[in-house]
Amino acid sequence: MHDLEQVFRDGLAELGGEADTAPPVVRRVVEQARSGAGRRRRSALAIGAAAAAVVLVAGLGAVLLGQRSGVEGPAGPSPTPPAVAPSAPGGYRLEFWHGVAVYVPATWGWGSAPTDPGTGATALCGAGQVVQADGSRREQRTLPYVGRPIALSNACDGSWAHERPQAPYVWLGGDVPVGTVDLGGGWVRKTIAVGDVRVSVASADDALRQAILSSAHEVTGACSPRLGNPPVAGGTKVADFVPVSMTVCAYGPTGTGLDYDLLYEQELSMGPAKYLVAAVDSARPLGSSSCYGASGGEWALLRLRGNPGGFRDYVVDMSCPSITDQNGAQHVLDSETARPWAVGGINAVLHVNQLVDVPDRFIPPLP
Amino acid sequence: MTGDGFDAWASARVPVLLRFAYVVTGSQAEAEDAVQAALERALPRWGRISRTEDPDAYVRRMIVNAHISMWRRSGRHESPVELVILTDEADPADRVTTAEAVRRVCAGLPRRQRVAVALRFYEDRDYGEIASLLGCSEATARSYVHRALQALRRELGEERSDA
């Protein structure tokens, strides 16, 4: 064994010595880190035109999205408030997953649900990590949440099936058998099938569990459940377009990397929609540093509906990162152009860019 | 932003970090991307990082996280590193070196395993640190390294039998 370890040490030392660390390379890396430009393109070129493109961790300056509530308007300069977005019965909000909608308490956060992370076994990846209703992330098992089958962490736990929770949860689309499981201490998890989607609710409160489960229903959502290609910007080009609502459709690559799954869908009101139009209109164009093609990463389609009847689609490429307007022009994705739509559970499903991520999520806070 | 000695630190340490990233990723392009991503994250908080005892450790951690995150987000479980193709195994003159065996084993490892191997044998990290970086148990970290060693043993064994 010792010899093998030494073989590894020697071989890796030789491998490390092959890296090009010439001064021009070092300068380029440092300079591009300052500008945030060019990273994805370089890798994409190196890897080639493989459909399963690598998603790179973009990283502009850390910007916290400081909404007070996950589904309210932006925290910045005063959007028009009003309420044309679908409203939910008092104290509840509507959550979507792959053609199924369910009402959940509006104060619950977002988290994960059991899925196969690629190991062949169902696991809960990121149990206890919850994006709170204000969009911030906490590791707190006592917070109730709505989980989707998306890994929030590389720490995957296979013991979820009979684990008694410390807070109620809803799992949408989890890889969970239909039926009822007694989790002890009065806690029960019940799983039903709505179409092809499993909906599980764990609670010690029978009435709450039943209320949530009975609200689950099939819907034809505003977002396509799967895309063969990244979304395309378009829609009305009229200068005085006034949106009255916005649908956020967040997509991530499937396991094959050949297409894109709908991860999250959210309706927002006129305020955020108007704010976004203004922000995009004044956003800095990417110009020569525009991304040359579609990444295999995460995308958001932002559909704004106007009055009467017109619409406009903006497309966010999280890997670039950029936001493309109705004319096909790419703009810088910055805090202004992210703030209006990157709210609520977005932080639980899109990970590539810090603009919609809480800094230090993967890295412990510095002392 | 040039304050707090970032430029001086970067000039001195980026070559080392590039070599580490190259071992972790197996590709020059990905290594540059990972280091660039780490620097981008480090820049806004450089004032705090520079006051820590070991700024390198934080940036290394960011590199590892970036690499693992690529894996997690892309759903790809294989490294994009090209395999080294043996030319004529029957000819002793072309017998692969042990270094080539290491390269080939690494190319076939899942990303997390490869990171574990790089941290263990390139960085000399202990298993507790590796587990912390990978977000897994120490036993899992040991298992990653153990499996990589087994793969290397098989690789070298096959070569011996081929020669």
Side-chain angles (χ1 to χ4, degrees), chain A residues 9 16 18 20 28 33-34 36-37 39 42-43 55-57 59 151 154 351 354 360 362-363 366, chain B residues 1 7 19 22 28-29 32-33 36 40-41 45 58 62 65 68 70 72-73 76 99 103 112 124:
Chain A
R9 290 182 203 283
E18 293 174 2
D20 186 352
R28 183 176 71 233
R34 289 189 182 287
R39 179 151 39 83
R42 180 170 60 234
S43 257
V55 180
L56 294 168
V57 178
N154 293 306
H351 305 278
Q354 291 176 24
D360 296 325
F362 292 108
I363 300 171
L366 291 165
Chain B
M1 182 188 301
D7 284 339
R19 281 193 282 275
Y22 187 86
Q28 180 72 26
E32 290 182 28
D33 278 354
Q36 182 182 327
E40 285 176 9
R41 291 201 68 163
R45 61 191 76 174
Y58 281 101
M62 291 172 181
N65 287 334
I68 292 173
M70 289 177 214
R72 182 171 66 81
R73 292 164 188 154
R76 294 174 4 139
R103 183 197 310 273
R112 289 166 66 82
D124 283 325

Side-chain angles (χ1 to χ4, degrees), chain A residues 68-293:
Chain A
R68 286 185 295 106
S69 161
V71 291
E72 287 182 354
S78 75
T80 311
V84 261
S87 59
Y92 283 77
R93 68 168 187 261
L94 199 55
E95 291 277 337
F96 299 90
W97 178 258
H98 288 208
V100 170
V102 59
Y103 284 104
V104 303
T107 55
W108 288 21
W110 294 265
S112 192
T115 186
D116 179 357
T119 61
T122 302
L124 194 55
C125 300
Q129 297 197 41
V130 174
V131 174
Q132 298 175 99
D134 66 357
S136 63
R137 180 178 294 276
R138 283 186 67 186
E139 279 202 47
Q140 178 57 272
R141 289 179 182 269
T142 58
L143 296 176
Y145 68 95
V146 183
R148 289 170 169 76
I150 298 167
L152 292 184
S153 161
N154 293 306
C156 297
D157 183 357
S159 64
W160 55 270
H162 294 92
E163 188 175 19
R164 187 189 308 169
Q166 297 176 42
Y169 59 73
V170 174
W171 287 339
L172 300 176
D175 187 6
V176 182
V178 169
T180 302
V181 178
D182 185 347
L183 301 172
W187 287 81
V188 172
R189 181 180 63 240
K190 185 173 182 180
T191 300
I192 63 173
V194 182
D196 296 331
V197 174
R198 303 290 169 89
V199 178
S200 309
V201 180
S203 173
D205 181 338
D206 291 343
L208 174 66
R209 183 172 59 251
Q210 195 52 38
I212 295 173
L213 285 172
S214 63
S215 77
H217 57 285
E218 291 187 87
V219 295
T220 301
C223 306
S224 299
R226 181 163 284 195
L227 298 176
N229 294 293
V232 177
T236 180
K237 295 180 170 61
V238 298
D240 57 352
F241 174 68
V242 178
V244 296
S245 69
M246 170 165 55
T247 303
V248 179
C249 310
Y251 293 93
T254 60
T256 65
L258 297 175
D259 40 26
Y260 304 88
D261 248 347
L262 178 65
L263 304 179
Y264 188 73
E265 178 174 344
Q266 180 166 295
E267 289 292 331
L268 297 172
S269 63
M270 175 188 269
K274 288 177 69 177
Y275 189 110
L276 180 63
V277 170
V280 170
D281 284 347
S282 58
R284 182 164 57 88
L286 273 174
S288 59
S289 61
S290 293
C291 296
Y292 71 97

Side-chain angles (χ1 to χ4, degrees), chain B residues 86-89 91-98 100 159-160 163:
Chain B
L86 302 182
T87 50
D88 181 1
E89 296 181 19
D91 184 350
D94 290 329
R95 185 171 60 85
V96 292
T97 66
T98 52
E100 285 170 333
E159 285 156 10
R160 288 191 191 106

Side-chain angles (χ1 to χ4, degrees), chain B residues 2-71:
Chain B
T2 57
D4 299 324
F6 176 81
D7 284 339
W9 173 87
S11 298
R13 303 307 298 163
V14 165
V16 176
L17 296 171
L18 277 172
R19 281 193 282 275
F20 169 67
Y22 187 86
V23 171
V24 167
T25 65
S27 117
Q28 180 72 26
E30 282 202 70
E32 290 182 28
D33 278 354
V35 173
Q36 182 182 327
L39 296 183
E40 285 176 9
R41 291 201 68 163
L43 264 167
R45 61 191 76 174
W46 184 249
R48 286 186 297 157
I49 292 175
S50 63
R51 289 195 295 273
T52 64
E53 288 185 1
D54 187 1
D56 284 25
Y58 281 101
V59 179
R60 274 195 177 82
R61 187 178 190 118
M62 291 172 181
I63 291 170
V64 169
N65 287 334
H67 183 64
I68 292 173
S69 299
M70 289 177 214
W71 166 82

